[in-house]
Amino acid sequence: MHRSNTATATEPAPVWTGPLTTAPLPGPDGPLAGRSVLEGAFALLNALRQEEDAGVTRLASACGLPKTTAYRLLDQLAELGAVERSAGRYRIGPGMFRLGHGWQPYPGLRSAALRPLQRLATVTGMTVALAVLHQGQTLVLDWTAAAEVPLPDDRQTWPWYTAAGKVLAASARPDLPLGPLPRTWPEEAGRIRECGAAYDREEVLEGVCCAAVPIHAANGVPVAALSVLTDPDHRLERLADTARRAASAVTAGLGRSAQRHIGRQGDAPSAG
């Protein structure tokens, strides 16, 4: 395979032909205690996620790795398509993009939500989002915008108190790691559960308001939220009513997916 010649004369990139292992990473004075190859590789990927485009010196420093070890791991990751290498700098590769888009918190969620999201964006003429609560934050799985409607901000991770985050937190278990909650949260959570919707009135982004409703799994547990983003001039309650119909379509799709899964299990040959 072709390898780019981006190393300098003083920092030769070692040739690495071995597989990824979980053996301890070599350090200048022996193995790095508690650090495996996989841990080092994921540390570099996480650093690239934050840096977006960086050289090996900066990445090695950010991860606490020897520079030669960082070269070796980045070389492996580039061969696997997880990292892209250009002119001595690195960035996240298409392999990680494909893997990341395969993640979802509930089986079939993204496929069940695809068409309802598109219809909701078309009907409202606004931007809509599919989101979940993950590690105490609002994580946007998919954005869909009506024609010529720009995204206010296409970040994927937001504070928990977005409309989507609030509508899910209102029904979440008490030990969900959200950090310090406002004293008014119990009353607000009760109102959200009662009306089945949550609102963000420029609490996260100036000039952007949002209405969100929950999506339920086949067992009735909220697993995600649909949000409609708009400006302060629109009535959020009316948007919530429209979003509820889309959320119901997603919930129905998850129910059908669960029934198909049960059917496949029933058709499987029994052991013994």
Side-chain angles (χ1 to χ4, degrees):
M1 293 185 182
H2 173 73
R3 299 175 188 270
S4 64
N5 299 319
T6 57
T8 65
T10 57
E11 296 179 349
V15 176
W16 175 257
T17 57
L20 279 170
T21 71
T22 57
L25 288 170
D29 300 314
L32 296 178
R35 299 296 295 276
S36 70
V37 170
L38 288 176
E39 287 175 315
F42 272 92
L44 288 167
L45 290 170
N46 191 55
L48 280 172
R49 182 182 64 84
Q50 299 178 45
E51 298 283 349
E52 294 187 358
D53 184 81
V56 68
T57 300
R58 184 163 184 169
L59 291 171
S61 176
C63 298
L65 296 173
K67 200 177 297 184
T68 53
T69 300
Y71 267 128
R72 188 189 74 189
L73 292 177
L74 288 166
D75 191 49
Q76 293 180 79
L77 292 168
E79 294 290 353
L80 295 170
V83 164
E84 285 188 338
R85 175 180 47 207
S86 177
R89 299 184 70 80
Y90 299 85
R91 59 180 176 268
I92 294 291
M96 293 304 297
F97 177 82
R98 289 190 293 270
L99 287 173
H101 274 254
W103 180 86
Q104 53 189 341
Y106 190 85
L109 174 62
R110 297 180 74 165
S111 58
L114 180 60
R115 289 187 179 178
L117 252 72
Q118 292 172 342
R119 288 195 295 268
L120 182 60
T122 300
V123 168
T124 61
M126 296 170 189
T127 297
V128 301
L130 174 68
V132 297
L133 268 178
H134 182 66
Q135 296 182 345
Q137 294 183 300
T138 304
L139 177 63
V140 178
L141 301 180
D142 290 302
W143 292 102
T144 302
E148 300 181 3
V149 175
L151 291 175
D153 192 316
D154 62 356
R155 282 180 291 165
Q156 288 186 296
T157 304
W158 295 85
W160 76 269
Y161 50 83
T162 62
K166 288 192 289 187
V167 83
L168 294 172
S171 299
R173 63 182 189 273
D175 62 343
L176 190 70
L178 299 177
L181 296 173
R183 279 183 288 179
T184 58
W185 172 244
E187 291 78 12
E188 183 178 1
R191 290 194 297 271
I192 291 170
R193 289 191 296 269
E194 184 177 352
C195 72
Y199 305 104
D200 161 20
R201 292 178 169 87
E202 300 185 85
E203 297 165 41
V204 180
L205 279 180
E206 184 178 355
V208 177
C209 295
C210 184
V213 297
I215 293 169
H216 297 90
N219 60 3
V221 175
V223 293
L226 277 186
S227 303
V228 183
L229 284 71
T230 185
D231 56 64
D233 294 332
H234 286 82
R235 284 189 57 191
L236 295 182
E237 292 78 8
R238 184 174 297 173
L239 289 175
D241 288 339
T242 306
R244 283 190 187 94
R245 292 191 288 273
S248 295
V250 181
T251 294
L254 291 178
R256 290 191 295 270
S257 178
Q259 288 298 319
R260 286 194 297 270
H261 179 69
I262 293 171
R264 285 194 296 270
Q265 288 182 324
D267 292 339
S270 60

